[in-house]
Amino acid sequence: AISEDRAFLDAMDRIANWVVHYFNHPESYPVLAQVQPGDVRNRFPADCPETGRTFDDLIDDFEQKILPGITHWNHPAFFAYFAISGSYPGIIAESLTAALNVNGMLWRTSPSLTEIEQLSLQYLRQMLGLPEIPFAMILDTASTSSLLAIAAAREALAELQVREKGLAGRHDIPRLVVYCSEEAHSSIEKAAIVLGIGRENVCRIKTDSDFRMRADELLHRIEHDLACGSKPLCVVATVGTTSTTSVDPVGAIAEICRMHGIWLHVDAAYAGIAAILPEKRNTLAGCDAADSLVVNPHKWLFTPIDLSAFYCRRPSVLKDALSLVPEYLRVSDACEVTNLMDYGFQLGRRFRGLKLWMVINYYGSSGLRNLIRGHLDLANQFAKWVQDSDSFELMAPVPFSTVCFRFHPKIELPSAAAGSFESLAAYLDDVNERLMNAVNATGETYLSHTKIHNKYALRCAIGNIRTQSSHIANLCRILEECSHTLMSSPL
Ligand SMILES: *Cc1c(COP(=O)(O)O)cnc(C)c1O
């Protein structure tokens, strides 16, 4: 198969060149894909190809037919949701992971997989300034990490025997309650759905004026639930909520959990990474008391999606919850060996740790700190522009690299609009939605939105490794131009 080897080498060469060009000319691509549903599929035959095609053919299709349907998360002007980065070391590691194609279900099925995974999570923990944690593993997403955390919390109430008896049809089990703030991520509620706890039993604790969980309210609800015979299962504190990136008072929450013996899980998927900066160390204050914690290197640490870091201080409980070893997977390796299949519901696992190890080693902790610090500076630059502007305003504090803002011209409700809108508030919601759509339609940049105190707000989340000050300046120009066009055109 010498000719196949040659074709592979040529293809890798072509791809490597394409990647370099891609990173150097992001302006050649609209950030938000400008296609209609079905456009991509319709470019291809509906019937499965009978004969194989060449790499060149396939890469041509990729460039001509698939790329137009890509929304470019790797674009430096991508500011929607939480911006992410596929970096060079990450791309190299992903290629090697695919080349090896190992499955790390057991230590012996690829010792390096388990050990590099644990080593890179140790490096990450050290960078975050956290004390030793007895167990860590890599999962695909924060959603999975939080699901495992709550599964462990359920097992921590061993007397309920949920693992053996399940939840359905039992009269000997009280109502089980998971607490999180009203700003917590939807993945917590999804975990409650999957684990048979139910959405109604996710207690959304009120937040203060800066969108942080109110610890007094949490304590009050826990005491109330206990008095009613319910059983608190778990508290999930969020470090960096999805809308405004607010940080719950983890220390005070941990104290309440300690008092009542409740599992504390911390969801720090995005903002936890900021703690690698000495000046932001306090981001994870109190988290040393948590039973489990998740941070996502695929969000703000330049590691290609997907890679979520899950830390657990009570691995024996996690193992009790999820270990199940059929005969064909029994091994006689030394007991100090970690078999990762014992700590989750998936059996097979890919070599994700290689990309985290490569990213950390390639940039070094100081390189990573400089990149994160740069993002905080860019967020400040943008927040300052909003504050100095006559027609834009900030909608929330900016603790990290995400800015919530909206268009708010100092005008009365235009008379032309008075007929269609009940209030200035309704008009502002509408005009901001139209502004966002106009901005995204330029293809030059991409914003997303949220609701803050029921008001439509735009979010500018900075997190791509190639984002520069010029991209922020360009965003400001586009916002000015699009808002001007909106205001001067009839409704
Ligand atoms: C992004 C985010 C999640 C979801 O992360 P996935 O890895 O996509 O599951 C959960 N919680 C918080 C706070 C987040 O910011």
Side-chain angles (χ1 to χ4, degrees):
I2 288 176
S3 65
E4 192 180 17
D5 295 343
R6 186 71 251 162
F8 174 74
L9 287 171
D10 289 346
M12 288 303 270
D13 196 48
R14 183 172 164 195
I15 288 172
N17 279 288
W18 179 83
V19 172
V20 170
H21 184 269
Y22 178 60
F23 285 172
N24 284 297
H25 296 281
E27 72 286 351
S28 329
Y29 304 90
V31 190
L32 177 63
Q34 313 279 318
V35 293
Q36 298 304 314
D39 280 0
V40 176
R41 239 189 121 141
N42 293 336
R43 290 192 185 112
F44 294 95
D47 295 321
C48 175
E50 174 70 23
T51 49
R53 302 168 63 200
T54 64
F55 290 133
D56 263 330
D57 243 12
L58 300 180
I59 299 170
D60 286 346
D61 270 5
F62 170 79
E63 289 190 356
Q64 292 155 22
K65 301 180 180 173
I66 297 177
L67 269 178
I70 292 294
T71 290
H72 292 279
W73 288 73
N74 240 351
H75 195 292
F78 183 107
F79 301 118
Y81 310 104
F82 285 109
I84 55 178
S85 311
S87 55
Y88 281 140
I91 294 167
I92 289 171
E94 283 281 26
S95 306
L96 293 174
T97 294
L100 292 174
N101 199 36
V102 291
N103 184 334
M105 55 198 195
L106 298 164
W107 174 82
R108 68 157 56 188
T109 61
S110 254
S112 286
L113 186 154
T114 300
E115 296 189 16
I116 292 297
E117 175 162 331
Q118 303 203 308
L119 181 68
S120 52
L121 291 175
Q122 176 179 320
Y123 291 169
L124 177 61
R125 175 186 61 71
Q126 290 165 348
M127 285 196 289
L128 295 172
L130 290 170
E132 196 102 26
I133 302 176
F135 180 78
M137 74 173 158
I138 292 175
L139 294 162
D140 52 359
T141 56
S143 304
T144 302
S145 297
S146 291
L147 175 70
L148 291 195
I150 300 173
R154 198 177 63 177
E155 185 63 26
L157 305 176
E159 69 281 7
L160 302 181
Q161 295 182 284
V162 176
R163 179 188 158 110
E164 297 309 320
K165 301 189 174 188
L167 286 168
R170 292 178 65 182
H171 300 290
D172 58 336
I173 281 211
R175 169 177 174 256
L176 303 173
V177 190
V178 172
Y179 303 84
C180 61
S181 91
E182 52 194 7
E183 297 290 325
H185 191 264
S186 55
S187 56
I188 307 309
E189 230 164 277
K190 280 208 178 183
I193 295 170
V194 173
L195 292 167
I197 292 159
R199 291 185 68 192
E200 282 185 9
N201 301 314
V202 175
C203 178
R204 295 279 190 166
I205 306 295
K206 287 203 190 69
T207 53
D208 66 15
S209 56
D210 282 342
F211 315 100
R212 298 172 296 206
M213 186 194 287
R214 281 182 48 186
D216 59 335
E217 193 70 25
L218 173 68
L219 181 61
H220 174 75
R221 290 305 299 257
I222 288 173
E223 285 173 346
H224 175 265
D225 287 342
L226 283 169
C228 298
S230 296
K231 185 90 190 158
L233 181 80
C234 175
V235 176
V236 180
T238 311
V239 169
T241 57
T242 316
S243 272
T244 68
T245 71
S246 59
V247 177
D248 289 342
V250 180
I253 294 168
E255 182 51 28
I256 294 169
C257 289
R258 194 193 56 76
M259 247 162 57
H260 287 284
I262 305 172
W263 188 287
L264 173 60
H265 174 59
V266 175
D267 178 0
Y270 154 72
I273 296 296
I276 73 171
L277 299 178
E279 65 271 28
K280 285 283 179 188
R281 237 332 104 74
N282 64 351
T283 301
L284 290 177
C287 291
D288 46 346
D291 297 286
S292 54
L293 168 87
V294 54
V295 287
N296 269 6
H298 81 216
K299 247 184 188 153
W300 201 12
L301 205 67
F302 319 113
T303 308
I305 193 165
D306 47 12
L307 196 152
S308 175
F310 177 59
Y311 293 91
C312 182
R313 224 167 242 108
R314 296 168 68 187
S316 60
V317 179
L318 184 63
K319 195 170 174 180
D320 286 347
L322 294 160
S323 174
L324 194 65
V325 186
E327 187 53 40
Y328 47 82
L329 291 172
R330 257 176 233 290
V331 282
S332 51
D333 290 319
C335 60
E336 77 255 28
V337 152
T338 298
N339 293 317
L340 288 167
M341 69 164 197
D342 288 337
Y343 298 89
F345 50 83
Q346 63 179 109
L347 174 61
R349 57 174 36 240
R350 58 195 225 90
F351 194 177
R352 285 197 185 86
L354 188 62
K355 56 186 170 179
L356 183 56
W357 179 84
M358 280 214 185
V359 165
I360 292 174
N361 277 277
Y362 179 76
Y363 294 105
S365 57
S366 68
L368 292 170
R369 283 196 296 274
N370 287 338
L371 288 163
I372 297 296
R373 203 172 271 131
H375 288 170
L376 298 179
D377 290 346
L378 292 177
N380 276 332
Q381 178 191 337
F382 182 65
K384 187 166 181 326
W385 175 83
V386 171
Q387 276 176 312
D388 292 349
S389 151
D390 285 335
S391 38
F392 288 87
E393 64 183 357
L394 286 182
M395 296 295 281
V398 184
F400 303 108
S401 66
T402 302
V403 181
C404 296
F405 67 103
R406 72 170 176 175
F407 180 53
H408 189 169
K410 306 282 170 291
I411 51 158
E412 301 288 303
L413 182 59
S415 54
S420 346
F421 296 99
E422 282 171 17
S423 61
L424 182 60
Y427 170 74
L428 285 174
D429 283 357
D430 179 78
V431 93
N432 274 282
E433 184 170 3
R434 283 187 290 137
L435 174 60
M436 183 181 75
N437 291 336
V439 166
N440 293 343
T442 65
E444 288 189 66
T445 190
Y446 182 24
L447 299 172
S448 62
H449 81 283
T450 187
K451 281 264 172 104
I452 296 179
H453 290 319
N454 228 13
K455 295 173 186 140
Y456 199 95
L458 308 182
R459 277 170 84 268
C460 168
I462 295 156
N464 185 270
I465 196 164
R466 284 169 295 276
T467 301
Q468 306 285 329
S469 180
S470 59
H471 300 109
I472 303 298
N474 207 36
L475 170 64
C476 300
R477 175 189 58 78
I478 295 166
L479 281 165
E480 255 161 10
E481 285 175 10
C482 288
S483 58
H484 189 259
T485 310
L486 260 185
M487 298 313 282
S488 50
S489 58
L491 284 165

